[in-house]
Amino acid sequence: MTFFNTKPLLASAAMALALTACQAAENKSDTGVTNTESIANMDLPAGVTLIETVQGSDSGEVVIPYSKFRLDNGLTVVLHQDKSDPLVHVDVTYHVGSGREEPGRSGFAHFFEHMQFQGSENVADEEHFKIITEAGGTLNGTTNSDRTNYFETVPSNQLEKMLWLEADRMGFFLDAVTQEKFEVQRETVKNERGQSYDNRPYGLLWERVGEALYPEGHPYSWSTIGYLEDLDRADLNDLKKFFMNWYGPNNAVITIGGDFNTVQTLEWVKTYFGTIPAGPEHDAPVYEEITLDADRYISLEDNVQLPLLYMAWPTVHANHPDEAPLDVLANIMGQGQTSLLYKNLQKPGLAVQASAGHSCREISCSFTMLALANPGRVQKLSDLESTIRESLVEFEGRGVLDDDLTRVKASIVSGLIYGLESVSGKVSQLAAYETFRDNPNGIGDDIARYEGVTKEDVTRVYDKYIKNNPAVIMSIVPKGKPEMIANADTWQRYERTIPDFSGEAEQTWSRPEDPEGLDRSIVPASGPNPTIKVPDTYTFSVGDDIEVLGARNTEVPTTTISLRIKAGQSHETLDKLGLASLTAGLMSEATTERTAEELSNELDKLGSSVSFSAGDTFTTMRIRTLTENLDDTIAIAMEKLLKPKFDPEDFARDKANQIQNIKAGKKEASQTASNLFNIMMYGTDNPTAYSNDGTEASVEAITLEDVKAFYAAHYSPKIASVIAVSDLDKTAMEKALSPLSDWKGPDVASSEIKDFPQLDTGTLYFVDKPNAAQSEIRVGKRALPYDATGEYYRSGLMNYPLGGAFNSRINLNLREDKGYTYGARSFFNGDEKSGWFRASAGVRADSTAASIVEFAKEIQLYQQSGITEDELKFTKSAIGQRDARAYETPSQKLGFLSRMATYDLKPSYIDEQADILANMTKSEIDELAAKHLQLGEMIMVVVGDKAEVYDDVVALGYKVVEIDADGNPIK
């Protein structure tokens, strides 16, 4: 789904956005390029052809300015200049995903994404992550059914190095592939499947639905990660064939956004990519209409708490004329508090969650409805199915309202503008439009097609694709409760037909022939370090001494506000744990003036959001809006803040949902391990040792009067503060926030922390999770409270090479060398009063004991021997340069202001941290490691399948105490 809006809304919002885009385009590089004519007259490198240039204008057109070029080998290059921050974002998108795989060879595209990070001819093993991290950058890759992309955001002086890296893996990958790398990454993918699919509640939902929805052999009938038996069957030659077939420059788009010189960038692209030979040409994928002859019921017993019902109807394909009205229909049926599913399922308490969507991929879309049942109210999923089908009938009688179109279209245009708050967001849009439409300028087309959606269109697509049409209906129920499924299965998984791949012809790799003088083994030097400046800030007070800390962000016409009340779980009593979260949840329900549905409708029509949440220390009201709608949004926020209704029905529903979420959380091994680690650290006498949701017993004991009392006693301006980021200046923000002057409230006593328990150091606490494919491991101890420039900050620097970076010792050992895990890390975390050190990972079940050994080995070695000089250099470079991308978006600026407000910091603390980093010595790091990483002072928490792993864990020699998911010893 992309972007649209009504004409009245579009006029002002698009104007603001277009002007912003123009301003970005007019930030001249030293080429002086600002318009189509001057770009067309540039002296382009030989072999680089300008295809088109699109600039912003003040005509009301929404556009991301760009220039599109093509190399002789078919590589498409899209450039977007934005000099507002000293960074660049590079995206290389290949038009290949799991939908281009063959039956019996599933998972290749995703597996290849992993392999592409394992080095190439001129980039050593593990060096890709190290080079980018050391440059102060961040990176990743993603695969879906239709494309694979690799991307990095780095300081602007690192652009040439990024292009060298990406070109080396595009043109010089195959000679560096080894059987050992192949085997390690195969294990890593297996761990990812275990963590994200097999060992995660509901993790097999989309795989099973895809099998039932599409005919055998259809490219969407398997999941992106594929089947393990296909990966086990694959060999190194299969991988190489897949690479040669799909990863040529003519099947790729490189999109670059940020602060760069256009001519110089094109010269670098030509130098590093220009000699890579084109790969095979491929026809566009063909859309085939998907039809079902009857409803297909399927079911699965899983380790879940909440039964799930999922319904899927096949519809059209991405960019089909009917995609837009189907998106609108999905919003009406099941998105937000104005939807029919919310009204009929969530509001009466039948479902903890209910939603509808229209998921579109290149050659097929599906209209879906999902409901997580409240098992206290629903005994069979057939009851939910009946209510969903009745909601569809209700839509037939209700029809499409004017507010439906206004609301849905407003949410799309606001989403568009929010998406342009970062260079990466703009680059992602340009890359996707070019890959799937051959036209980066797709935003205007999307706005036009969604703007044209009528009530009749929505009714027509409902009649055509949904009404009386068969669907796939999947039930996922708790193990041992098959009676809860919606209907007996009417469709069975088939035995897949695996083709005979023997006798396939070998493909020949054409090695690029570089011009004399180009030595790809030499890492390009970095350019001059960019100038980094923290955001300018301002302060003022409003109302009852509410301090406001703000920063201006003129790049987009948006405003983000966080009103923070210094009261949360720390102010709860042990018998009423979860009270702060339950109170915050009710603040998003009805007020004394309007229903929750009416408030939601008004916010959606503004393209705004107002939400409440509660943590250990703060309750927060967060506001996000287009600035032109700020006053109206603040009026709604104030109504929510000052006039909550605390309706008994809302309370009963939210309380029941919170209890069900607590029960569901116990099914998540990762959440269970982290929760129990916190309890062991801080003891059962401190409220903040527990999950913010509380316990089943404590939430059950909470009454509506408790909620009202917590609100009356703690929601006070006397302990409130505001942080804000907006394109408005200080004067305008003072006016916008003036309604806070109406807020009155009592003094609030600060919370107290009870003494922490004596850790039973050296103890391993074990929790049984039967049939778990993976085990969750936590190793750690209490440590330091937060300090921006003291020992806490320095200890974080110390930990960076141990477990703070992708290429840290812990991750390289457990993931890259051993293949035990999808990822492992360690870190220090602290707040005003306490802190801890923790190392963690989810590991393959059969490697549980071995992983514990490796964790202990790495921590002990680092504690005893300290950092190496190379690691110290790496840490200084990586952390020292990453601030170039630290203050780009409103969210990043808000995080910076939040730290300042919480810990009473001045902006200069950033400079102090830079000085500490620059002067950090090996001896200081070693002293900190020796002090804070003594394994004998730590405890361990392991959640896994006792039948499979317990004996091996006990054999390690630790004191083992078996506990349940609440932390109670099992005798």
Side-chain angles (χ1 to χ4, degrees):
M1 184 171 69
T2 40
F3 314 108
F4 62 98
N5 196 3
T6 55
K7 289 182 179 178
L9 281 171
L10 185 62
S12 56
M15 181 70 74
L17 182 59
L19 288 172
T20 304
C22 269
Q23 290 164 0
E26 290 169 359
N27 283 312
K28 299 182 181 181
S29 69
D30 50 10
T31 63
V33 173
T34 56
N35 55 56
T36 305
E37 181 179 2
S38 56
I39 290 179
N41 292 332
M42 277 195 305
D43 187 13
L44 298 176
V48 178
T49 302
L50 173 65
I51 304 301
E52 65 177 350
T53 292
V54 173
Q55 297 291 340
S57 69
D58 58 0
S59 64
E61 179 186 8
V62 179
V63 63
I64 305 171
Y66 69 89
S67 295
K68 175 179 170 180
F69 305 86
R70 188 158 291 136
L71 273 59
D72 288 347
N73 60 4
L75 178 67
T76 300
V77 182
V78 179
L79 303 181
H80 164 71
Q81 278 199 337
D82 179 347
K83 303 178 85 66
S84 56
D85 292 281
L87 57 82
V88 289
H89 183 81
V90 179
D91 177 291
V92 180
T93 297
Y94 295 92
H95 197 171
V96 56
S98 59
R100 305 298 177 270
E101 296 162 352
E102 303 171 86
R105 285 178 166 168
S106 66
F108 273 38
H110 174 260
F111 182 46
F112 202 84
E113 175 208 319
H114 280 253
M115 289 298 299
Q116 282 274 57
F117 286 105
Q118 298 313 300
S120 46
E121 182 174 322
N122 301 292
V123 182
D125 296 359
E126 322 305 347
E127 283 293 302
H128 200 105
F129 276 94
K130 182 179 180 182
I131 288 171
I132 294 178
T133 305
E134 192 169 23
T138 183
L139 70 157
N140 212 335
T142 66
T143 308
N144 63 28
S145 57
D146 302 316
R147 63 101 186 98
T148 301
N149 71 333
Y150 303 90
F151 51 90
E152 46 270 334
T153 305
V154 294
S156 55
N157 64 325
Q158 304 291 336
L159 176 56
E160 183 184 6
K161 195 179 297 179
M162 299 305 105
L163 298 174
W164 168 77
L165 276 171
E166 290 291 356
D168 209 63
R169 64 177 168 189
M170 178 186 285
F172 299 86
F173 170 75
L174 290 183
D175 280 352
V177 175
T178 65
Q179 187 67 36
E180 181 181 5
K181 291 181 183 179
F182 179 82
E183 296 298 343
V184 169
Q185 290 310 307
R186 176 152 54 186
E187 289 305 309
T188 301
V189 171
K190 289 181 179 180
N191 285 320
E192 182 180 356
R193 178 173 174 106
Q195 183 172 317
S196 301
Y197 293 76
D198 301 326
N199 203 40
R200 174 174 290 177
Y202 317 107
L204 294 174
L205 169 63
W206 289 278
E207 179 174 275
R208 297 293 174 86
V209 170
E211 292 169 346
L213 189 63
Y214 298 103
E216 182 180 5
H218 189 282
Y220 293 167
S221 65
W222 54 81
S223 63
T224 302
I225 203 164
Y227 297 103
L228 291 184
E229 57 266 31
D230 290 353
L231 289 179
D232 285 337
R233 191 185 307 112
D235 61 28
L236 197 55
N237 288 325
D238 294 331
L239 182 77
K240 291 182 176 181
K241 291 175 187 176
F242 192 79
F243 173 81
M244 288 186 285
N245 196 31
W246 292 105
Y247 289 80
N250 52 315
N251 198 43
V253 177
I254 180 167
T255 309
I256 303 168
D259 184 3
F260 57 81
N261 175 296
T262 300
V263 172
Q264 178 65 82
T265 298
L266 290 172
E267 289 175 349
W268 286 332
V269 171
K270 172 62 188 312
T271 296
Y272 295 116
F273 291 89
T275 60
I276 301 174
E281 294 293 337
H282 297 284
D283 295 331
V286 177
Y287 165 68
E288 296 180 7
E289 184 178 359
I290 302 299
T291 58
L292 302 175
D293 54 358
D295 284 332
R296 293 182 174 180
Y297 286 90
I298 57 177
S299 62
L300 174 70
E301 291 182 50
D302 198 0
N303 188 28
V304 299
Q305 167 66 24
L306 306 178
L308 177 145
L309 184 74
Y310 189 86
M311 304 177 70
W313 289 262
T315 58
V316 289
H317 61 82
N319 303 315
H320 186 282
D322 286 346
E323 179 188 6
L326 281 162
D327 288 344
V328 176
L329 174 64
N331 187 284
I332 296 169
M333 290 304 306
Q335 294 178 21
Q337 290 177 300
T338 57
S339 69
L340 292 176
L341 292 188
Y342 177 84
K343 179 177 77 72
N344 296 334
L345 289 174
Q346 279 186 260
K347 193 170 181 65
L350 300 176
V352 174
Q353 176 185 332
S355 62
H358 186 230
S359 174
C360 268
R361 293 182 278 180
E362 192 169 14
I363 59 172
S364 189
C365 307
S366 59
F367 188 92
T368 60
M369 292 186 175
L370 176 153
L372 282 171
N374 178 352
R377 297 285 306 279
V378 175
Q379 302 305 310
K380 288 181 65 68
L381 288 175
S382 55
D383 295 338
L384 285 190
E385 182 188 355
S386 296
T387 305
I388 289 174
R389 293 189 183 278
E390 290 166 4
S391 298
L392 291 171
V393 173
E394 181 180 350
F395 168 77
E396 296 177 29
R398 167 192 182 278
V400 182
L401 309 179
D402 290 336
D403 265 7
D404 291 334
L405 293 180
T406 302
R407 181 179 65 247
V408 179
K409 294 176 180 181
S411 70
I412 295 301
V413 80
S414 62
L416 163 64
I417 296 176
Y418 297 142
L420 302 185
E421 291 177 335
S422 68
V423 170
S424 63
K426 290 182 283 187
V427 165
S428 296
Q429 283 295 326
L430 292 169
Y433 283 129
E434 172 59 27
T435 299
F436 297 116
R437 301 190 192 177
D438 225 14
N439 175 19
N441 190 26
I443 288 179
D445 293 340
D446 272 344
I447 288 175
R449 66 177 177 139
Y450 282 97
E451 192 176 43
V453 172
T454 65
K455 297 179 181 180
E456 292 74 20
D457 289 331
V458 179
T459 302
R460 174 181 56 78
V461 296
Y462 168 78
D463 290 341
K464 182 174 182 179
Y465 301 105
I466 310 302
K467 184 178 181 179
N468 299 325
N469 282 349
V472 172
I473 303 104
M474 182 168 192
S475 302
I476 298 181
V477 298
K479 289 183 178 180
K481 295 188 177 181
E483 69 278 2
M484 295 191 74
I485 65 174
N487 192 75
D489 289 4
T490 61
W491 185 87
Q492 300 296 325
R493 299 181 75 194
Y494 46 79
E495 188 72 28
R496 293 191 303 137
T497 302
I498 306 300
D500 180 6
F501 296 114
S502 62
E504 288 187 337
E506 294 286 336
Q507 289 181 273
T508 303
W509 175 51
S510 299
R511 181 182 178 81
E513 297 182 6
D514 286 333
E516 187 176 345
L518 175 59
D519 186 351
R520 291 182 183 264
S521 67
I522 300 175
V523 181
S526 303
N529 287 336
T531 300
I532 301 169
K533 186 175 182 296
V534 300
D536 291 329
T537 62
Y538 59 79
T539 61
F540 61 86
S541 296
V542 63
D544 199 354
D545 292 327
I546 302 172
E547 293 294 326
V548 178
L549 176 62
R552 195 172 186 192
N553 180 63
T554 59
E555 297 168 36
V556 284
T558 65
T559 297
T560 304
I561 298 169
S562 181
L563 185 148
R564 309 183 317 154
I565 305 166
K566 198 169 185 180
Q569 189 166 24
S570 59
H571 283 79
E572 297 172 353
T573 57
L574 291 172
D575 60 334
K576 297 294 173 71
L577 295 171
L579 177 56
S581 289
L582 187 53
T583 304
L586 282 167
M587 298 297 293
S588 293
E589 299 287 356
T591 68
T592 56
E593 306 295 319
R594 287 182 280 187
T595 66
E597 293 85 347
E598 290 170 336
L599 292 164
S600 177
N601 188 46
E602 290 304 310
L603 285 169
D604 287 345
K605 288 195 293 184
L606 295 170
S608 304
S609 63
V610 177
S611 61
F612 289 80
S613 62
D616 288 351
T617 308
F618 290 97
T619 293
T620 303
M621 178 176 73
R622 186 178 173 93
I623 300 168
R624 194 182 193 197
T625 182
L626 305 180
T627 300
E628 65 177 354
N629 296 329
L630 178 59
D631 290 344
D632 290 339
T633 304
I634 285 181
I636 295 173
M638 293 303 299
E639 181 180 333
K640 285 175 170 283
L641 178 65
L642 302 183
K643 300 178 180 180
K645 186 177 183 181
F646 295 134
D647 183 88
E649 290 187 8
D650 292 339
F651 169 74
R653 179 183 63 253
D654 286 5
K655 175 178 172 176
N657 288 349
Q658 191 157 317
I659 290 173
Q660 292 301 330
N661 286 332
I662 294 167
K663 291 180 178 179
K666 292 179 180 178
K667 302 291 186 179
E668 292 271 8
S670 177
Q671 184 175 330
T672 298
S674 295
N675 287 346
L676 291 175
F677 178 85
N678 289 342
I679 291 174
M680 299 305 166
M681 287 294 102
Y682 299 117
T684 55
D685 290 337
N686 283 297
T688 53
Y690 297 87
S691 163
N692 288 322
D693 277 344
T695 69
E696 294 174 52
S698 67
V699 176
E700 189 64 57
I702 295 173
T703 66
L704 183 57
E705 293 308 310
D706 292 328
V707 169
K708 293 178 180 179
F710 189 87
Y711 170 81
H714 298 100
Y715 278 59
S716 171
K718 296 185 183 298
I719 55 169
S721 60
V722 172
I723 52 178
V725 177
S726 175
D727 59 320
L728 299 177
D729 61 19
K730 175 182 176 181
T731 301
M733 284 303 298
E734 286 182 297
K735 179 181 178 182
L737 292 173
S738 60
L740 284 170
S741 299
D742 296 333
W743 187 19
K744 307 299 178 186
D747 293 324
V748 181
S750 60
S751 60
E752 295 183 3
I753 293 182
K754 302 290 193 303
D755 291 338
F756 298 142
Q758 181 71 35
L759 288 184
D760 192 358
T761 56
T763 299
L764 189 154
Y765 297 93
F766 186 88
V767 182
D768 184 21
K769 189 174 189 294
N771 303 313
Q774 285 195 314
S775 298
E776 288 289 337
I777 300 172
R778 305 290 183 269
V779 183
K781 54 174 280 190
R782 286 196 299 272
L784 301 160
Y786 181 88
D787 184 343
T789 56
E791 192 168 343
Y792 173 87
Y793 173 69
R794 296 164 195 265
S795 295
L797 300 178
M798 174 269 289
N799 172 72
Y800 194 71
L802 173 65
F806 180 89
N807 55 308
S808 67
R809 294 187 185 190
I810 288 174
N811 195 57
L812 289 185
N813 183 337
L814 272 75
R815 172 178 161 137
E816 299 301 305
D817 295 342
K818 304 295 191 306
Y820 292 163
T821 181
Y822 183 50
R825 62 193 294 250
S826 65
F827 56 97
F828 285 85
N829 185 67
D831 57 25
E832 295 171 282
K833 299 178 181 179
S834 63
W836 40 257
F837 166 80
R838 190 175 79 192
S840 62
V843 303
R844 201 176 65 231
D846 62 2
S847 70
T848 303
S851 297
I852 294 170
V853 170
E854 296 305 322
F855 265 120
K857 183 182 75 174
E858 293 294 352
I859 293 171
Q860 285 180 315
L861 178 62
Y862 195 68
Q863 188 266 339
Q864 294 166 3
S865 302
I867 196 171
T868 67
E869 291 293 345
D870 183 63
E871 287 173 333
L872 180 59
K873 178 183 176 183
F874 166 77
T875 299
K876 288 185 175 184
S877 180
I879 296 177
Q881 297 188 81
R882 68 185 183 186
D883 276 356
R885 54 182 178 83
Y887 313 108
E888 179 193 10
T889 67
S891 179
Q892 287 174 309
K893 290 182 173 72
L894 208 68
F896 171 66
L897 297 181
S898 178
R899 286 188 294 277
M900 288 179 57
T902 300
Y903 301 108
D904 194 24
L905 301 172
K906 298 186 182 301
S908 59
Y909 87 88
I910 296 295
D911 297 327
E912 294 178 50
Q913 288 183 339
D915 290 339
I916 292 170
L917 176 66
N919 295 304
M920 202 80 173
T921 63
K922 172 176 166 52
S923 62
E924 185 176 359
I925 292 284
D926 292 352
E927 288 175 11
L928 289 167
K931 178 179 179 181
H932 292 294
L933 298 179
Q934 295 185 46
L935 191 66
E937 297 178 350
M938 300 183 189
I939 64 167
M940 299 183 187
V941 175
V942 178
V943 180
D945 181 3
K946 181 179 180 180
E948 181 173 353
V949 310
Y950 189 73
D951 290 345
D952 291 338
V953 169
V954 170
L956 295 177
Y958 295 99
K959 176 185 176 182
V960 178
V961 175
E962 191 173 358
I963 58 177
D964 63 21
D966 292 314
N968 303 309
I970 295 177
K971 300 178 181 180

